[in-house]
Amino acid sequence: MVDSRTIKKLEERLTQEKAILEIELSDIGKVDQSNPRNWEGTNGDYETGTADAAILADRFEEKTTNSGIVTELEERFNNIKDALVRIKKDTYGKCNECGEKIPLERLEANPAAATCVAHAD
Ligand SMILES: [Zn+2]
């Protein structure tokens, strides 16, 4: 297993990154109240009553782009939250698929890694 000092350092990195992602996500999206793992892209309020089709199309495009970013950030955010849970449960550094330990270099490169190299997607 990874020694506790290294885990502590990785945990700090994860906590910092989680805080940054949370700010970024709140900026361009909002969390789904019924599912805290799900974020939705927002782009301000729509005023469908007065907007013409061209404006709506523009806004729709923005919203689509926005959701792409939200999805990426959300995935990263959830991976980090999962990694922090694994640290608490003392299962951090083990592959989710086979239970083998994840090489330290892999964790250093990505502290949120949940699988060994063989099971990387
Ligand atoms: Zn594995």
Side-chain angles (χ1 to χ4, degrees), residues 94-102 114-120:
K94 276 193 206 163
C95 174
N96 266 357
E97 298 291 326
C98 66
E100 287 294 314
K101 69 175 189 182
I102 303 170
T115 55
C116 70
V117 183
H119 292 108

